[in-house]
Amino acid sequence: MHESLEPIYEKVVARNPGEVEFHQAVREVLDSIGVVMGKHPEYAHAKIIERTCEPERQIIFRVPWQDDRGEVHINRGFRVEFNSALGPYKGGLRFHPSVYQGIVKFLGFEQVFKNALTGLPIGGGKGGSDFDPKGRSDQEIMAFCQSFMTELHRHLGEYTDVPAGDIGVGGREIGYLFGQYKRLTNRYESGVLTGKGWAFGGSHIRTEATGYGNAFFVREMLAARDDSFSGKRTVVSGSGNVAIYTMQKVRELDGHVVACSDSEGYVLDEQGVDVELVKQIKERERGRLAEYADRRPSGKFVANRQVWEVPCEVALPSATQNEITGKEAEVLVRNGCVAVGEGANMPTTPEGVRVFREAGVAFGPGKAANAGGVATSALEMQQNASRDSWSHEFTEQRLREIMVSVHDRCYSTAEEYGLPGDYTAGANIAGFTRVAEAMLSLGLI
């Protein structure tokens, strides 16, 4: 980190004690943008960095709800509206027991620069709750979502703040949330939530977008090295929405996906992971990945082990933050990995990133590689605003174009600042400078 930025980072840590994920996200950006400050002294004068590290608004609220047995539960809800210099706050809602203020702030901070990289007019925000949807009935999830939206709705609007889904929040949850918003406001304001079902204002491929986008981004990284997915052994962590559609698109791009995982272990299938079977088990039956091996003879389930021990040429972490440490990164490099695309948010620790960089691995950071989800959310907003709907083919083509432009923006920015091939620096600098220029233009607000 440039010495002029160290005091800023220390102040962020002091003002946000215990929020280690947020500290990590801020440091990762500050490590990259020292070279920018020398070229743009006006950023320091206007204290752009300090302002981007402080959310515009943080909302914490109580979420009371009743389960099927009549027992009352109290969860905590969050929404961090981080930066609106480029447009309305945009970012998902996460329902998971690990959610607390630090997680939401880390995600919201990353979202600001990710959204800027898309080139679309959207700011950054994030939200969620420590509610755990696993094992809950549809009725219980509806009860929770309605209580959650009863408080959150007053802070939302298609020109103010537009949430989407994230871990634990899929089409079912978005439907319940939107229904309650409509009920409370008496407005059919389609653009206030994205990730909606196709029948009520949703966009084609929104479900697939993050996974598809990650595959498109990695394809561009490989192409920049005169390479491709063709025949490459690929390993994907996770088996949820992002992982499933990452695997699907990698197969279409001629990659060979041999493993995926969940919290209990991983499946290895040398014949190629059957994505439809994973989808059946995880999306429709809401079961465990261990069942895959019971239904497919070529599949082997390895319990309580990490998928990164499987030799591969392409690694696509698509589960959660900090799942690849320096140790896992060293194993991947030793086993011949040449490209990594982060489908999840910050799944690689700083030490892991260092290992990949020093080994010459093409590394796509999450704020670039997984930008396809929010990009397609913005496309859904466009369709809602114009009372229009686009075909699957047209929407996927727009997503592909956006991901190519995100890649090119990261690649060219890294070159411009003397850091060729460093996609992390390119993404951070390109995202930060776009936000900084907008903040300067808007004045001290």
Side-chain angles (χ1 to χ4, degrees):
M1 185 185 299
H2 191 275
E3 60 181 13
S4 67
L5 302 182
E6 284 285 359
I8 297 175
Y9 175 70
E10 291 170 4
K11 187 173 182 180
V12 168
V13 173
R15 285 170 65 89
N16 303 276
E19 298 175 356
V20 293
E21 297 87 358
F22 179 53
H23 303 163
Q24 181 182 336
V26 170
R27 182 166 195 107
E28 193 255 351
V29 171
L30 297 190
D31 280 343
S32 298
I33 63 174
V35 292
V36 177
M37 304 311 289
K39 287 190 175 183
H40 296 279
E42 67 273 20
Y43 294 170
H45 178 72
K47 295 200 171 180
I48 294 294
I49 297 176
E50 291 91 334
R51 287 159 61 194
T52 56
C53 292
E54 187 67 29
E56 293 176 11
R57 188 176 296 107
Q58 301 182 62
I59 304 154
I60 304 176
F61 53 96
R62 180 179 64 198
V63 188
W65 60 281
Q66 194 171 49
D67 67 20
D68 292 341
R69 297 170 298 175
E71 183 179 349
V72 173
H73 299 263
I74 308 295
N75 285 98
R76 182 172 287 179
F78 303 90
R79 188 67 179 173
V80 174
E81 298 175 332
F82 224 107
N83 192 294
S84 58
L86 297 175
Y89 309 106
K90 187 80 192 79
L93 298 170
R94 175 177 293 192
F95 292 170
H96 191 272
S98 66
V99 170
Y100 79 108
Q101 188 77 344
I103 289 278
V104 176
K105 284 168 69 176
F106 128 62
L107 292 168
F109 184 75
E110 288 277 292
Q111 198 77 46
V112 172
F113 306 110
K114 179 191 301 185
N115 294 0
L117 282 172
T118 68
L120 299 168
I122 44 178
K126 207 75 178 184
S129 174
D130 56 3
F131 170 73
D132 188 357
K134 284 186 178 178
R136 293 294 178 184
S137 69
D138 285 353
Q139 178 63 38
E140 289 172 327
I141 288 172
M142 182 172 68
F144 175 82
C145 288
Q146 289 178 341
S147 181
F148 183 86
M149 183 54 81
T150 297
E151 173 58 35
L152 186 62
H153 84 280
R154 71 195 74 228
H155 305 288
L156 306 182
E158 60 182 322
Y159 300 110
T160 306
D161 188 350
V162 183
D166 194 83
I167 294 172
V169 179
R172 173 182 56 177
E173 290 76 17
I174 292 293
Y176 294 149
L177 291 165
F178 181 70
Q180 184 72 351
Y181 180 88
K182 174 178 171 291
R183 178 188 194 186
L184 292 166
T185 63
N186 194 33
R187 295 196 303 271
Y188 206 105
E189 192 178 337
S190 298
V192 77
L193 278 169
T194 59
K196 301 182 296 297
W198 174 244
F200 58 101
S203 172
H204 279 301
I205 79 159
R206 177 59 190 90
T207 302
E208 302 93 331
T210 304
Y212 279 17
N214 189 23
F216 289 144
F217 189 91
V218 174
R219 181 186 63 177
E220 294 303 308
M221 288 201 304
L222 290 168
R225 298 183 172 202
D226 296 320
D227 204 349
S228 72
F229 265 115
S230 184
K232 282 191 168 48
R233 283 177 63 88
T234 302
V235 165
V236 179
S237 69
S239 50
N241 177 69
V242 177
I244 285 170
Y245 293 104
T246 296
M247 292 189 288
Q248 181 173 302
K249 185 54 65 175
V250 168
R251 287 181 57 185
E252 291 177 18
L253 297 174
D254 203 28
H256 185 56
V257 181
V258 296
C260 64
S261 64
D262 68 6
S263 59
E264 296 178 355
Y266 68 84
V267 156
L268 176 64
D269 191 337
E270 292 291 352
Q271 291 186 13
V273 171
D274 184 336
V275 180
E276 287 304 313
L277 177 55
V278 175
K279 193 183 297 187
Q280 175 67 30
I281 293 169
K282 302 299 288 189
E283 289 193 336
R284 301 189 187 99
E285 300 172 11
R286 302 187 185 276
R288 307 307 301 167
L289 196 58
E291 299 169 35
Y292 181 99
D294 297 332
R295 305 189 198 182
R296 185 167 162 91
S298 59
K300 175 186 176 184
F301 184 75
V302 181
N304 303 316
R305 300 284 289 273
Q306 289 192 307
V307 74
W308 309 121
E309 67 186 24
V310 177
C312 65
E313 294 163 280
V314 178
L316 303 173
S318 306
T320 191
Q321 65 269 9
N322 294 327
E323 56 176 296
I324 299 181
T325 67
K327 180 181 177 182
E328 284 81 38
E330 288 171 356
V331 171
L332 284 164
V333 169
R334 194 160 55 242
N335 285 337
C337 183
V338 298
V340 176
E342 293 190 319
N345 291 303
M346 207 170 68
T348 312
T349 67
E351 179 63 16
V353 175
R354 183 191 64 76
V355 170
F356 290 139
R357 184 172 60 244
E358 291 179 357
V361 173
F363 179 77
K367 62 171 61 71
N370 70 39
V374 74
T376 305
S377 281
L379 299 181
E380 183 175 331
M381 292 167 66
Q382 288 183 25
Q383 293 169 80
N384 294 156
S386 61
R387 301 293 192 268
D388 198 1
S389 60
W390 302 342
S391 69
H392 186 287
E393 293 76 17
F394 180 79
T395 310
E396 183 172 343
Q397 177 61 30
R398 288 284 290 119
L399 171 62
R400 187 182 299 111
E401 291 167 356
I402 291 169
M403 294 310 299
V404 170
S405 72
V406 170
H407 170 271
D408 293 349
R409 193 170 288 124
C410 296
Y411 186 88
S412 61
T413 301
E415 293 260 330
E416 177 187 347
Y417 282 86
L419 300 163
D422 190 337
Y423 287 94
T424 299
N428 287 331
I429 294 169
F432 172 75
T433 53
R434 183 165 183 242
V435 173
E437 288 299 319
M439 291 177 71
L440 281 176
S441 299
L442 296 176
L444 187 57
I445 58 173

